[in-house]
Amino acid sequence: NTIVIFHSDHGELLGDHGIYLKGPFMYDCSVRVPLIISWPGHFEQGLKSDAMVELVDLVPTLLEASGTEIPLGVQGKSLYGLLAGDADPHHHKDYVYNEYYIGQPFHKALKPDPLVTMVRTRTHKIAVFAGMKTGELYDLQADPGEHRNLWDSPKHQQLKMDMMKLCFDASVLTQDPLPERTNEW
């Protein structure tokens, strides 16, 4: 009767991209984390999924598993159907969203303080740095190691705009929907 979950909050870069620790960086080696969930008799045994999921999906998953209604203000999308074998194990979301809004004292040399939002699809990733004229855009099929930043590439400007729009939408959709509207006004 116990659900066991193994995960971590983020990875350290450990030299990838020439960076040792962590910070306002959205490379897969840092933002992709392990996630193992087990509940014998309820969830599929040995199921391996390459679906795009977020740790924010854990709260609605646990609420659904316990039979508790998921309140309106809870973010994330329950993984219950995927884990129970009732949904496609390789598709959960079309993208994942990540944000870095809490600068560290050692980043104060960067002006302005780096505030970063990121959206990753199966094929592309964009990291948008608020208040800066730079960012990062990667074609993950052609460059899975994220070494060729396409942000300034004239050939990729439409992709950049499409990904920026998706990133903006993802950011807005994290806003608290409460209090629930009770009237037209």
Side-chain angles (χ1 to χ4, degrees):
N1 64 359
T2 302
I3 298 173
V4 177
I5 300 174
F6 171 83
H7 70 88
S8 78
D9 62 342
H10 60 79
E12 301 291 344
L13 289 150
L14 300 177
D16 286 339
H17 297 275
I19 305 163
Y20 185 67
L21 297 173
K22 59 185 175 196
F25 312 108
M26 297 292 174
Y27 300 116
D28 273 3
C29 53
S30 182
V31 298
R32 290 188 73 174
V33 298
L35 177 59
I36 301 171
I37 304 175
S38 178
W39 192 18
H42 299 274
F43 293 160
E44 288 284 318
Q45 296 293 310
L47 174 71
K48 292 183 180 180
S49 170
D50 65 353
M52 299 185 75
V53 304
E54 300 170 287
L55 295 180
V56 72
D57 298 332
L58 293 176
V59 170
T61 302
L62 294 172
L63 289 171
E64 185 172 355
S66 70
T68 304
E69 184 178 337
I70 301 170
L72 176 64
V74 170
Q75 294 184 15
K77 179 181 174 186
S78 175
L79 296 163
Y80 191 91
L82 186 153
L83 295 168
D86 298 331
D88 180 355
H90 303 294
H91 186 268
H92 182 65
K93 294 179 174 180
D94 293 330
Y95 65 85
V96 293
Y97 172 76
N98 200 347
E99 55 193 23
Y100 180 91
Y101 292 151
I102 304 171
Q104 300 295 318
F106 49 86
H107 295 140
K108 296 300 181 191
L110 301 172
K111 298 293 180 199
D113 203 15
L115 306 173
V116 187
T117 55
M118 179 275 289
V119 162
R120 184 195 197 285
T121 66
R122 286 199 180 271
T123 58
H124 296 92
K125 178 191 285 185
I126 192 165
V128 180
F129 295 79
M132 298 181 176
K133 294 182 180 184
T134 189
E136 295 179 65
L137 176 66
Y138 298 102
D139 178 338
L140 300 173
Q141 293 176 314
D143 178 25
E146 302 170 272
H147 295 288
R148 289 184 299 276
N149 185 357
L150 304 173
W151 183 268
D152 292 322
S153 166
K155 186 172 119 180
H156 295 90
Q157 291 307 294
Q158 186 59 53
L159 172 64
K160 180 168 105 174
M161 291 306 298
D162 293 345
M163 291 296 290
M164 285 180 81
K165 170 73 167 76
L166 181 59
C167 192
F168 175 79
D169 289 349
S171 174
V172 170
L173 291 172
T174 66
Q175 299 304 306
D176 189 350
L178 299 174
E180 190 171 3
R181 182 182 287 207
T182 59
N183 207 322
E184 292 178 23
W185 304 98

